[in-house]
Amino acid sequence: PNTRKFSSLPLALNTEEAAEALAGKQVFMYCTGGVRCERAGTYLRALSDSDSGAWQGKEKPKAIFQLKGGIQKYLETYGEQVE
């Protein structure tokens, strides 16, 4: 979802649009440092498992992945590799 603040993410994920868009799909998340993705991934799993709100009766995501450590850690690890 298109959000400007992390605090608006729970409302954005608990919508019919989000539930339908993510149903049965593999969800890949990334953020700068990884902390927000940890929280967002945990929230999305709990929300889709709860079968309530907009997710009631919807198929949950097939899998939820996140880039451990975020983009920052990825660039620190792999950013200098040139082939």
Side-chain angles (χ1 to χ4, degrees):
N2 187 14
T3 60
R4 295 198 43 89
K5 298 186 297 185
F6 184 79
S7 60
S8 59
L9 189 63
L11 288 175
L13 289 176
N14 196 14
T15 63
E16 290 283 330
E17 180 183 14
E20 289 174 11
L22 301 176
K25 303 244 174 74
Q26 292 186 10
V27 178
F28 294 85
M29 304 176 116
Y30 63 92
C31 52
T32 306
V35 175
R36 287 176 298 217
C37 288
E38 285 283 339
R39 293 176 58 200
T42 299
Y43 180 78
L44 180 56
R45 279 184 200 90
L47 185 63
S48 62
D49 286 344
S50 72
D51 196 35
S52 63
W55 288 84
Q56 190 169 17
K58 299 280 190 305
E59 181 181 3
K60 61 184 180 179
K62 185 181 289 186
I64 300 170
F65 301 97
Q66 59 201 43
L67 185 58
K68 187 172 184 168
I71 294 294
Q72 184 65 37
K73 184 68 171 176
Y74 178 85
L75 291 175
E76 289 171 4
T77 305
Y78 302 105
E80 296 298 321
Q81 294 183 2
V82 179
E83 293 189 30

